[in-house]
Amino acid sequence: MEPLYEGKAKRLWATDDPGVLRMEFKNDATAFNGEKKAQFEEKGRLNNAISNRIYALLEKEGIRTHFVREIDETNVEVRKVEIIMVEVIVRNLAAGSFCKRTGVEEGRAFSAPVIEFSIKSDELGDPLVNDDYIRELRLATPEELQHLRTAALKVNDLLSDFFSRCGLRLVDFKLEFGRLKDEPGTIVLADEISPDGCRLWDLETGEKMDKDRFRRDLGGVMEAYREVLARVERATGG
Ligand code: TMP
Ligand code: ASP
């Protein structure tokens, strides 16, 4: 059997239910739009476990997501969606490309969350775009974009609070959304939420607990992911 889709960190497989797919987390890690590559034996398992717990929590708080149920250590059932080709990034503190673009020092806290959009395209290097680009490229309607913005801010509030209970500062993160195939007009949170697509800093030590350990060759990548999972499990009751 062939996957329906293979991305850098996940594969999507058909199931018997046409409205449901199996999403498999791979052990591959990439950075800088796939330029830097490595394999981490446990990454699929850790990200699947972290992401599923977070999606279950968001669902409980009224955020609609693609999550259906965890199948096993590296597989989850998700609703079939048409991915909106816009990555939604929310920032609470300056880091990463924000610092590179502006010269601001890493760690400056913002007075309010910064939202940015980029086109989901490795070939183009995920370019930063604004609302007008998104409208003219027909990536999303203005109404859909408003929904993405509102949902992203709500996710930020919920997750900032959740991760602080884990002793972690949610510095920034990336979300992807999709249009439900069997429920036209409904947009849900898709993809994953894991240390691959979030910056998480230990609240006490400031230590980086996310994919920046890989991007910057800091070592201890899986140790950090394992620690994030342990804290997420504790905060969600095992
Ligand atoms: P950035 O500072 O590199 O723009 O990244 C902001 C956040 O978004 C960071 O937590 C990592 C995440 N991200 C992804 O998950 N995928 C991507 O392709 C990019 C560019 C960022
Ligand atoms: N997710 C992107 C990649 O895999 C960028 C990044 O996370 O640094 O290349």
Side-chain angles (χ1 to χ4, degrees):
M1 230 176 48
E2 290 283 309
L4 296 175
Y5 169 84
E6 177 151 6
K8 295 195 292 292
K10 295 183 293 296
R11 290 187 195 95
L12 287 172
W13 302 85
T15 70
D16 295 338
D17 182 339
V20 173
L21 299 179
R22 172 165 66 88
M23 186 165 85
E24 179 196 357
F25 285 78
K26 304 197 290 186
N27 288 333
D28 300 324
T30 68
F32 314 116
N33 296 316
E35 266 174 49
K36 178 169 175 168
K37 290 193 183 97
Q39 282 248 328
F40 293 97
E41 211 175 292
E42 281 180 277
K43 189 170 84 84
R45 174 180 82 76
L46 294 169
N47 280 355
N48 187 43
I50 294 167
S51 190
N52 292 342
R53 277 171 175 77
I54 289 173
Y55 277 37
L57 174 137
L58 291 175
E59 285 278 349
K60 239 199 274 170
E61 297 289 344
I63 303 280
R64 294 206 57 184
T65 79
H66 68 166
F67 177 76
V68 178
R69 69 175 182 101
E70 189 168 297
I71 301 172
D72 61 26
E73 283 206 328
T74 51
N75 289 276
V76 57
E77 267 183 9
V78 297
R79 301 279 298 273
K80 192 170 187 173
V81 299
E82 176 198 11
I83 287 286
I84 296 176
M85 299 305 273
V86 174
E87 299 190 348
V88 182
I89 288 159
V90 183
R91 302 180 188 273
N92 297 305
L93 273 71
S97 66
F98 184 93
C99 297
K100 207 181 275 173
R101 198 174 290 123
T102 60
V104 166
E105 79 284 6
E106 183 178 77
R108 185 198 286 183
F110 297 128
S111 61
V114 170
I115 296 199
E116 66 188 49
F117 302 110
S118 61
I119 304 177
K120 180 175 160 65
S121 163
D122 281 339
E123 296 77 63
L124 298 173
D126 292 350
L128 188 66
V129 289
N130 68 15
D131 298 39
D132 293 345
Y133 279 55
I134 291 168
R135 183 193 64 238
E136 292 307 321
L137 294 169
R138 297 177 192 242
L139 298 175
T141 66
E143 294 72 30
E144 286 178 328
L145 197 57
Q146 187 50 44
H147 175 83
L148 265 44
R149 203 185 277 279
T150 307
L153 285 173
K154 186 161 180 211
V155 169
N156 184 46
D157 282 345
L158 293 167
L159 290 190
S160 294
D161 179 61
F162 172 71
F163 280 120
S164 79
R165 284 188 275 122
C166 300
L168 295 166
R169 173 69 79 76
L170 179 60
V171 174
D172 57 33
F173 59 97
K174 186 254 316 182
L175 299 177
E176 293 182 25
F177 294 86
R179 304 174 183 99
L180 278 183
K181 283 280 193 193
D182 54 10
E183 218 179 293
T186 304
I187 291 176
V188 299
L189 189 59
D191 195 49
E192 69 181 292
I193 297 182
S194 73
D196 269 14
C198 299
R199 284 195 175 89
L200 299 166
W201 295 352
D202 185 275
L203 269 176
E204 273 172 19
T205 64
E207 203 182 341
K208 297 184 196 307
M209 305 285 285
D210 55 67
K211 202 165 87 174
D212 268 351
R213 301 204 70 84
F214 168 63
R215 293 190 190 97
R216 300 184 178 196
D217 298 318
L218 299 175
V221 183
M222 285 305 102
E223 286 80 355
Y225 281 45
R226 242 183 270 134
E227 176 63 22
V228 170
L229 174 59
R231 294 187 193 190
V232 165
E233 281 178 338
R234 246 176 273 141
T236 52

